[in-house]
Amino acid sequence: MAYIEQHSAGLSAPVKVGLIGSGWMGAFHAESIARRVPGAILAAIADPNVESAQALAQSLGTAKVTADAADILADPEIDAVIIASPARFHSSLIAEAAAAGKHVFCEKPAGQGLDELDAALAAVEEAGVHFQVGFNRRYADDFQAAKKDLAAGIAGTPQLLRSLTRDPGTGSLPNAARVPAWTIFLETLIHDFDTLNWFNEGAEPVEVYAVADALVEPSLRDAGFLDTAVVTIRYSNGAVAVAEANFSALYGYDIRGEVFGSKGMVQAGRATETAARRYTADGLSADTPRLNVELFRQAYTDELADFAGSVRARRDGMPPSSSGFTTTPGAADARRALAMALACIESVQRGAPVAVNETAAV
């Protein structure tokens, strides 16, 4: 006799999620699914570092642990996967998960070249599974408020846009030598590219001109490490955007976005952890976040709640939720942002502007 599964009245069965990759971001996503996303269950964890996966699973009450992602993909009980492995494996895992009928949430970048990503996204389309990429800024309250205003035409026609990422630091980067080449474009500024594309929705990035250097760790410049970059982007609607990044902001984690248009301006982002301020004999001060999981804690949770909700809707034949403007970053968004990052790499190498999609791989 089989067990009888019981669920609360009116609620569908929870989405069973398998995690692939239990590193920093994977572990946080696992905790979100296990503790903060209603209607989802963390069913299994896969990581070649089995000890890490076991420790995470034990802390979250997850029974299934494996060193091989194929075990998760072959598990008929698992509905969806979160891919948080190193980026070089993302495209192949997307394709394999789709072929196995699993819905896919993948951390950015979804690939390291357009050819490999196109093949993965073709597998997603053929399988008819839901795909979402981890552009979490779309789920931050202030960025969503800005997008709502932009969708309502508050700023008019976009003319100038800006997005910046300044990672918290101490003025030096002790592990910089181990950072993969071009990380500043492929894993940092790729968030800014998606933000700009989202804020300027309906337009296509046409050309980029990128300048980058090692200003935090100048001694690593000759080894190809880059920690500071500025990118100018031209869009098909005539708008011009600037994206900038630096790996060592002494004052904390600083993420901002802005659209200046024909009717006004909309801004998002803040450098302080809360709205509280201190006024003392030493002057004005405020706390600032030092980790991405501090600044974007709710956004990381909400993106996974959106993913789980979309999977349930597809599985149960329910209409998708609607907010009046686009939020969920899908296949086209993943590809567009990666194409911009790759064009930036080519631009730095050439020292000249580069058309987006002109290059296909790192």
Side-chain angles (χ1 to χ4, degrees):
M1 178 178 177
Y3 290 110
I4 299 173
E5 293 192 21
Q6 300 187 70
H7 309 290
S8 301
L11 295 180
S12 62
V15 173
K16 295 182 179 179
V17 180
L19 173 71
I20 301 174
S22 61
W24 169 258
M25 204 62 248
F28 189 81
H29 284 328
E31 182 187 348
S32 295
I33 289 290
R35 295 176 176 171
R36 294 187 292 274
V37 177
I41 292 175
L42 181 64
I45 300 173
D47 196 304
N49 185 342
V50 178
E51 292 78 10
S52 169
Q54 286 176 326
L56 178 62
Q58 185 174 7
S59 71
L60 298 175
T62 302
K64 295 180 179 180
V65 176
T66 178
D68 191 348
D71 293 331
I72 284 181
L73 301 183
D75 189 336
E77 294 187 357
I78 291 177
D79 301 301
V81 296
I82 294 174
I83 299 173
S85 63
R88 64 185 181 275
F89 301 119
H90 285 184
S91 286
S92 60
L93 285 170
I94 291 169
E96 291 166 15
K102 310 301 184 189
H103 302 283
V104 180
F105 178 97
C106 184
E107 265 303 330
K108 49 73 198 168
Q112 293 190 307
L114 293 181
D115 289 343
E116 68 176 50
L117 179 56
D118 285 343
L121 296 180
V124 166
E125 185 174 2
E126 181 178 356
V129 297
H130 179 63
F131 173 80
Q132 185 174 328
V133 66
F135 289 136
N136 58 290
R137 292 183 199 181
R138 294 184 179 215
Y139 296 87
D141 288 344
D142 49 351
F143 280 80
Q144 285 224 344
K147 176 62 176 180
K148 183 178 179 180
D149 283 345
L150 292 169
I154 298 297
T157 303
Q159 296 173 348
L160 296 172
L161 299 92
R162 185 184 184 207
S163 183
L164 65 85
T165 298
R166 295 172 185 166
D167 290 342
T170 61
S172 65
L173 302 168
N175 298 318
R178 298 202 298 270
V179 176
W182 307 114
T183 289
I184 198 163
F185 297 118
L186 291 169
E187 301 200 31
T188 301
L189 278 164
I190 198 166
H191 277 295
D192 298 272
F193 300 151
D194 179 69
T195 297
L196 293 168
N197 294 340
W198 188 47
F199 279 177
N200 195 23
E201 191 169 6
E204 290 293 328
V206 174
E207 182 183 80
V208 302
Y209 177 52
V211 177
D213 206 340
L215 302 183
V216 181
E217 293 290 349
S219 63
L220 296 177
R221 182 182 295 111
D222 292 341
F225 175 73
L226 301 171
D227 52 46
T228 306
V230 177
V231 182
T232 303
I233 305 146
R234 287 198 306 108
Y235 279 92
S236 59
N237 63 349
V240 178
V242 174
E244 65 170 80
N246 182 279
F247 285 164
S248 188
L250 272 64
Y251 57 87
Y253 203 35
D254 187 2
I255 306 293
R256 284 176 274 157
E258 176 182 290
V259 178
F260 173 88
S262 58
K263 294 182 179 179
M265 182 173 66
V266 173
Q267 292 181 324
R270 55 185 170 81
T272 58
E273 190 168 7
T274 70
R277 303 286 189 275
R278 303 184 193 93
Y279 296 83
T280 70
D282 295 325
L284 169 63
S285 65
D287 292 330
T288 56
R290 301 285 165 163
L291 296 171
N292 57 340
V293 294
E294 293 175 350
L295 181 61
F296 288 119
R297 183 180 182 84
Q298 191 59 49
Y300 282 129
T301 301
D302 289 347
E303 69 177 350
L304 293 182
D306 181 22
F307 175 66
S310 296
V311 171
R312 280 198 309 274
R314 285 197 178 209
R315 185 195 62 193
D316 301 340
M318 302 293 289
S321 59
S322 177
S323 64
F325 58 85
T326 305
T327 298
T328 308
D333 303 301
R335 191 188 193 282
R336 187 177 290 111
L338 178 61
M340 295 170 73
L342 294 171
C344 287
I345 294 170
E346 188 73 18
S347 178
V348 170
Q349 292 172 329
R350 292 188 193 178
V354 169
V356 176
N357 279 356
E358 186 174 320
T359 184
V362 177

